[in-house]
Amino acid sequence: MWHAGTITGEMNYCEVGSKSWQRLKTIAKQLDWKPWSRRGIWTLVGVITILLTVAGISAAIFFRKTAPLSAVLTTPHLSPKFQQSLSEFLREATRLTLLTSQGITHDAFGEQLATTRTAFELSTPLWPDDYAQESKHEFGKAIHGWKLLLQLWRESIAKGIDYPSIPAEIQMYYYPEGIKVLESYAPRRIIYGDIDGSADHAKYIRFKPNIRVLMTVAAEHFRSGQMLLEGNALGK
């Protein structure tokens, strides 16, 4: 490599057993010496070993950052069927999250949620006990939030049909038990009161603002599950 010009005198090297690094040009005479001594040979072997080690570590870090989800999920104890079902759920849930952030109709949301729920339910019985249980829990919370969102959305549509003269922005939802469920899912984030958010109607919540709240909270749970899943790529 020295004679071919692949490595130059400006490259650093460290001898085996030493902690100090030096430039290769400091041993240029040894490298240029045709009938190499045993010490010169072992010096070059040490340099090459170091270079290969550094290259291997760099490649591992790069792969970890850029590998597609399917590659990250490919671990020895995860069955191919589970990997496929989990990948499908992640794909569909990602699409649902993107659609809600960009704007989506009630019917389209319901259809995409049904597809996402089915994918998650298919992966659940295959989920290994020793693999990313926190991610599984967060994904379940996301599904639950999307279901609550759809139910509240349907209530708002029904309210608009029953009371068409009331603007959608100020239509209220009053159902104590249902509101408790929403508050349990998104504590201290549910919006109460009238259009100004006052406490005059503390038992009422507005539809549209709280639909947006549920969209946000469900998406947060899904993203949390994704992050936790990345930390469990080896099934720890």
Side-chain angles (χ1 to χ4, degrees):
M1 293 173 69
W2 174 263
H3 288 285
T6 307
I7 55 177
T8 68
E10 296 303 314
M11 182 172 289
N12 291 328
Y13 83 100
C14 179
E15 292 188 1
V16 177
S18 174
K19 295 183 179 180
S20 61
W21 290 78
Q22 302 181 53
R23 298 292 177 85
L24 280 177
K25 62 185 179 182
T26 61
I27 59 168
K29 292 183 179 180
Q30 297 180 47
L31 297 176
D32 286 332
W33 189 31
K34 296 298 176 69
W36 283 16
S37 65
R38 181 176 299 177
R39 178 180 177 82
I41 293 174
W42 282 111
T43 297
L44 182 58
V45 170
V47 171
I48 294 173
T49 301
I50 292 170
L51 292 176
L52 291 175
T53 301
V54 172
I57 294 173
S58 299
I61 293 174
F62 176 81
F63 178 80
R64 180 66 182 88
K65 289 182 177 180
T66 60
L69 179 63
S70 59
V72 174
L73 291 176
T74 305
T75 54
H77 77 290
L78 299 181
S79 69
K81 189 174 182 180
F82 169 69
Q83 293 179 46
Q84 181 179 356
S85 62
L86 180 57
S87 295
E88 183 176 351
F89 162 70
L90 292 172
R91 181 174 58 254
E92 297 300 337
T94 298
R95 184 166 185 268
L96 181 62
T97 304
L98 292 175
L99 289 174
T100 53
S101 65
Q102 296 170 359
I104 185 174
T105 65
H106 169 269
D107 291 340
F109 177 82
E111 291 176 2
Q112 183 59 35
L113 176 57
T115 301
T116 304
R117 284 182 59 188
T118 299
F120 182 68
E121 290 168 359
L122 288 174
S123 69
T124 299
L126 303 172
W127 203 298
D129 294 336
D130 62 343
Y131 180 73
Q133 290 298 311
E134 292 182 355
S135 294
K136 179 182 176 182
H137 176 72
E138 287 296 306
F139 291 148
K141 293 284 286 184
I143 293 290
H144 181 54
W146 285 323
K147 288 167 58 180
L148 293 176
L149 186 165
L150 185 60
Q151 291 173 8
L152 190 63
W153 202 342
R154 286 173 176 166
E155 290 287 344
S156 71
I157 293 174
K159 183 72 70 173
I161 294 174
D162 294 338
Y163 302 94
S165 61
I166 302 177
E169 289 295 335
I170 62 174
Q171 287 179 351
M172 300 285 181
Y173 175 65
Y174 175 72
Y175 181 60
E177 293 303 318
I179 293 175
K180 285 182 180 178
V181 173
L182 298 180
E183 184 63 49
S184 175
Y185 179 74
R188 298 179 297 281
R189 297 178 72 169
I190 298 301
I191 300 173
Y192 289 84
D194 59 20
I195 190 64
D196 299 319
S198 67
D200 293 342
H201 303 94
K203 295 181 180 180
Y204 294 78
I205 65 171
R206 288 183 285 155
F207 284 110
K208 285 195 172 182
N210 287 292
I211 288 174
R212 288 192 288 268
V213 166
L214 293 174
M215 283 184 180
T216 300
V217 176
E220 289 173 355
H221 281 296
F222 176 63
R223 284 193 293 268
S224 174
Q226 285 181 302
M227 294 176 63
L228 291 168
L229 191 64
E230 291 178 3
N232 282 275
L234 297 179
K236 295 182 180 178

